[in-house]
Amino acid sequence: MDQKAKTLPNAGINPNVSVDCVIFGFDFEELKVLLIQRKEGPDQDLAREGRWALPGNLIRDDESLDTAAGRVLGELTGLERIYLQQFQAFGNPDRVRRQADAEWLHYMREQPNARVITVAYFSLVKLHGFEPQPRSFARNVAWFPIDEVPDLAFDHNEIVESGLLALQRILRQRPIGFELLPRKFTLGQLQRLYEAILRRPLDKRNFRKKMLKKDILVALDEKQQGVPHKPAQYYRFDKQKYAEWEEKNLDADFDVVPV
Amino acid sequence: MDQKAKTLPNAGINPNVSVDCVIFGFDFEELKVLLIQRKEGPDQDLAREGRWALPGNLIRDDESLDTAAGRVLGELTGLERIYLQQFQAFGNPDRVRRQADAEWLHYMREQPNARVITVAYFSLVKLHGFEPQPRSFARNVAWFPIDEVPDLAFDHNEIVESGLLALQRILRQRPIGFELLPRKFTLGQLQRLYEAILRRPLDKRNFRKKMLKKDILVALDEKQQGVPHKPAQYYRFDKQKYAEWEEKNLDADFDVVPV
DNA sequence: ACAAAAGTGTTTAATTTACACCCATGT
DNA sequence: ACATGGGTGTAAATTAAACACTTTTGT
């Protein structure tokens, strides 16, 4: 047992392994990513603009990777109990060697020169309802359109890229998109979500046909109100029915789009 | 800089991160996995049976994860320059806490109690041609049928399971199976490979139809010899043509089986 | 009246599926 | 002659793709 470890504030923190979360949100128009702005020094010193980064941090030695991802995300943004899925480990030896990150590492980390590999998670949250709050070393939290992500810390731009690819892949296999929408939604909103994630237009009639045929949506007896056009039917996702669909289609893909 | 690190034999070895390789092979009958048998003590002491494990080890601080996977595999089995793909990180805090692994850890590792997360890779090699040789702490190397994998070290049984699932998933997206066959092969052999990986029978005529339609196989002017049945046509995989197929089908799946 | 998005079906093409017999060879 | 796997085609069912107009509401 390392005596040092017991007395320092960072006891139990593993210096070599971190988790990072690519959190996607959808505002009915475009796909967004949740980023935090780091504090680059003591609280008083907010003159310097902090660098934007993915919410992430070193793991503890007594927690699993999944647990760490949930904990770190909560600590930095206040988001709790949300769907998180591991998608890739990043371990380039120079991923934490950028000059732009040196100061923050020295300020925050007990071992600023440690080699750090990171395990990346992605997640989907309903933009409407959760309001992330900056905490810990996050000075700010904000949603960025996926096309307007700034230059991020470390290799986080690469991680965002890969996260989007992972999301696109998963979307073909499971109707995961519902995590991004409120309980009730219209088919138009659902289609725009798919288009935002896949980054291409879909045929309206074919999309509706296929989606409804899965028999995992139930129509509510409620319609849009106050919209300057024909009000749309509201639907909700039926978890029960989806579980049945999944059982009957054990290794089928959830395809609602042409490949 | 840690002075200790410079003088020890393990200088540059990261105590917290390892890589493990799930290497698949195919002998025209069933799918196999390459395992190593660990030396549990000094070379003289070979009376004790070593535990079987996936080829894997701690990474170095100056290499990427991909590089580490290739290096470690080479060090333990002699296999070089083979296709390796990362598929999942495993980070349960008690994954290296099994009693059965304690002795080996104390014998091999400078920090036997360190928390270790591992990044798992899978790979496909031609059983015929490569002959893996035990080296380093591998006392033995052997191919095990995927259904007869013994109780392995650490969480390696779980990793093998996940690796097979990853392989099945990837096989739908890319015609990766050719890595498991010699340069020339028959359509029957190819089909048996798919059946071994997917663990279900496929329709012969439909399989051939779909596979040939991809236009990535070329028939050689050579047939089987000495077989007690109609000799089969030999084919080879055409990388060039596959590259073309991939370009034309940017995000299509390589489906040769019903989903 | 106009703008804006909702909602709706059909036709054609492509793909998937199920299925059975003859062929060439070694023993 | 017989056992063994190689090789081949078609018909029916399903799914995918392309495509345009009417409806309902707010302003």
Side-chain angles (χ1 to χ4, degrees):
Chain A
M1 283 297 153
D2 188 350
Q3 195 186 342
K4 199 171 147 200
K6 280 195 186 143
T7 56
L8 285 173
N10 279 357
I13 301 291
N14 191 300
N16 297 308
V17 182
S18 67
V19 288
D20 283 296
C21 303
V22 184
I23 312 292
F24 292 103
F26 181 63
D27 63 357
F28 298 140
E29 293 191 357
E30 54 183 356
L31 194 63
K32 308 213 163 179
V33 187
L34 188 69
L35 299 175
I36 63 168
Q37 190 178 28
R38 300 189 303 205
K39 291 178 186 163
E40 303 277 342
D43 277 358
Q44 305 83 341
D45 185 10
L46 291 182
R48 266 172 307 172
E49 274 298 298
R51 205 169 187 75
W52 289 94
L54 291 173
N57 205 358
L58 298 175
I59 68 170
R60 297 178 50 89
D61 273 336
D62 60 1
E63 68 190 351
S64 72
L65 296 169
D66 292 359
T67 306
R71 172 182 63 77
V72 166
L73 184 63
E75 284 175 2
L76 289 165
T77 68
L79 295 179
E80 301 277 1
R81 308 202 160 279
I82 68 176
Y83 170 91
L84 277 166
Q85 180 169 335
Q86 188 200 120
F87 69 92
Q88 197 178 331
F90 293 80
N92 223 302
D94 53 2
R95 58 177 295 280
V96 290
R97 302 275 178 261
R98 284 176 58 178
Q99 188 53 44
D101 297 308
E103 190 174 3
W104 182 83
L105 284 168
H106 278 85
Y107 169 61
M108 282 299 299
R109 297 266 167 96
E110 192 182 341
Q111 298 179 40
N113 296 314
R115 189 315 176 42
V116 182
I117 75 135
T118 199
V119 179
Y121 284 75
F122 75 79
S123 173
L124 304 164
V125 308
K126 306 176 206 315
L127 255 180
H128 313 267
F130 291 82
E131 199 50 54
Q133 298 296 334
R135 300 179 183 180
S136 180
F137 62 79
R139 156 188 173 173
N140 208 345
V141 180
W143 292 102
F144 284 75
I146 188 79
D147 288 321
E148 299 166 29
V149 172
D151 185 33
L152 302 178
F154 306 119
D155 55 353
H156 287 187
N157 287 96
E158 184 189 345
I159 296 179
V160 170
E161 286 291 314
S162 304
L164 179 58
L165 289 176
L167 173 58
Q168 292 173 342
R169 226 179 306 126
I170 305 285
L171 191 67
R172 286 246 180 76
Q173 282 159 37
R174 327 196 136 217
I176 202 178
F178 301 109
E179 301 279 348
L180 283 160
L181 291 172
R183 240 249 301 300
K184 64 178 186 185
F185 51 84
T186 71
L187 287 177
Q189 290 167 344
L190 185 59
Q191 182 178 342
R192 282 192 289 280
L193 170 58
Y194 270 75
E195 291 174 333
I197 293 178
L198 300 174
R199 294 163 158 274
R200 67 157 179 252
L202 302 175
D203 181 273
K204 181 166 59 161
R205 283 185 284 194
N206 292 336
F207 179 83
R208 288 165 169 251
K209 221 184 308 171
K210 286 184 184 179
M211 190 57 80
L212 290 174
K213 200 170 174 195
K214 304 282 182 189
D215 194 33
I216 57 169
L217 297 185
V218 299
L220 307 176
D221 47 5
E222 188 183 353
K223 294 194 170 176
Q224 276 184 322
Q225 290 188 349
V227 287
H229 54 76
K230 180 170 175 179
Q233 175 69 242
Y234 276 121
Y235 290 84
R236 69 175 175 81
F237 174 60
D238 189 322
K239 272 189 184 168
Q240 182 76 34
K241 286 186 174 175
Y242 170 61
E244 288 166 26
W245 179 89
E246 199 171 36
E247 241 181 87
K248 290 198 201 312
N249 299 274
L250 267 176
D251 54 2
D253 283 338
F254 187 88
D255 253 325
V256 293
V257 297
V259 289
Chain B
M1 284 294 155
D2 188 352
Q3 196 186 341
K4 199 171 148 201
K6 283 197 184 140
T7 56
L8 285 173
N10 279 356
I13 300 292
N14 192 300
N16 296 308
V17 182
S18 66
V19 288
D20 283 296
C21 303
V22 184
I23 312 293
F24 292 103
F26 182 64
D27 63 357
F28 298 140
E29 294 192 355
E30 53 183 356
L31 194 63
K32 308 212 165 179
V33 187
L34 188 70
L35 299 175
I36 64 167
Q37 190 178 29
R38 299 188 304 206
K39 292 178 185 161
E40 303 277 342
D43 276 359
Q44 305 82 339
D45 184 11
L46 289 182
R48 265 172 307 172
E49 274 298 298
R51 204 169 189 77
W52 290 93
L54 291 174
N57 205 356
L58 298 175
I59 68 169
R60 297 178 49 90
D61 273 337
D62 60 1
E63 67 190 351
S64 71
L65 296 170
D66 292 359
T67 306
R71 173 182 61 78
V72 166
L73 184 64
E75 285 175 2
L76 289 165
T77 68
L79 295 180
E80 302 278 359
R81 307 204 160 278
I82 67 176
Y83 170 90
L84 277 166
Q85 180 168 335
Q86 188 200 119
F87 69 90
Q88 197 178 331
F90 294 80
N92 224 302
D94 52 2
R95 58 177 296 279
V96 290
R97 302 274 178 261
R98 285 177 58 178
Q99 187 53 44
D101 297 308
E103 190 175 2
W104 182 83
L105 283 168
H106 278 83
Y107 169 61
M108 281 299 299
R109 297 266 166 95
E110 192 184 341
Q111 298 178 40
N113 296 314
R115 159 64 179 297
V116 182
I117 74 136
T118 198
V119 179
Y121 284 75
F122 75 80
S123 173
L124 305 164
V125 308
K126 307 177 205 312
L127 255 181
H128 314 267
F130 290 82
E131 199 49 55
Q133 297 297 334
R135 300 179 183 180
S136 180
F137 62 80
R139 155 187 175 176
N140 207 345
V141 181
W143 291 102
F144 284 75
I146 188 79
D147 288 321
E148 298 167 29
V149 172
D151 185 33
L152 302 179
F154 305 121
D155 54 354
H156 287 187
N157 288 95
E158 184 189 346
I159 297 179
V160 170
E161 285 291 314
S162 304
L164 178 58
L165 289 176
L167 173 58
Q168 291 173 342
R169 226 179 306 124
I170 305 286
L171 190 67
R172 285 246 180 75
Q173 283 159 35
R174 327 194 137 219
I176 202 179
F178 300 109
E179 301 280 347
L180 284 160
L181 292 172
R183 238 252 301 301
K184 64 179 185 185
F185 51 84
T186 72
L187 287 176
Q189 291 166 343
L190 185 60
Q191 182 179 342
R192 282 191 289 280
L193 171 57
Y194 270 75
E195 291 174 332
I197 293 178
L198 300 173
R199 295 163 157 276
R200 67 156 179 253
L202 301 175
D203 181 274
K204 181 167 59 163
R205 283 186 283 193
N206 292 336
F207 179 83
R208 289 165 167 250
K209 218 186 309 171
K210 286 184 183 180
M211 189 58 80
L212 290 174
K213 200 172 175 193
K214 304 282 182 189
D215 194 33
I216 57 169
L217 297 185
V218 299
L220 306 176
D221 47 6
E222 188 184 354
K223 295 193 170 179
Q224 276 184 322
Q225 290 187 350
V227 288
H229 55 74
K230 180 172 175 179
Q233 177 68 244
Y234 276 122
Y235 290 84
R236 68 173 176 81
F237 174 59
D238 190 321
K239 273 191 184 165
Q240 181 76 34
K241 286 186 173 176
Y242 170 60
E244 288 165 25
W245 179 89
E246 199 170 37
E247 242 181 87
K248 291 198 199 312
N249 298 275
L250 267 175
D251 53 2
D253 283 337
F254 187 88
D255 255 325
V256 291
V257 297
V259 288

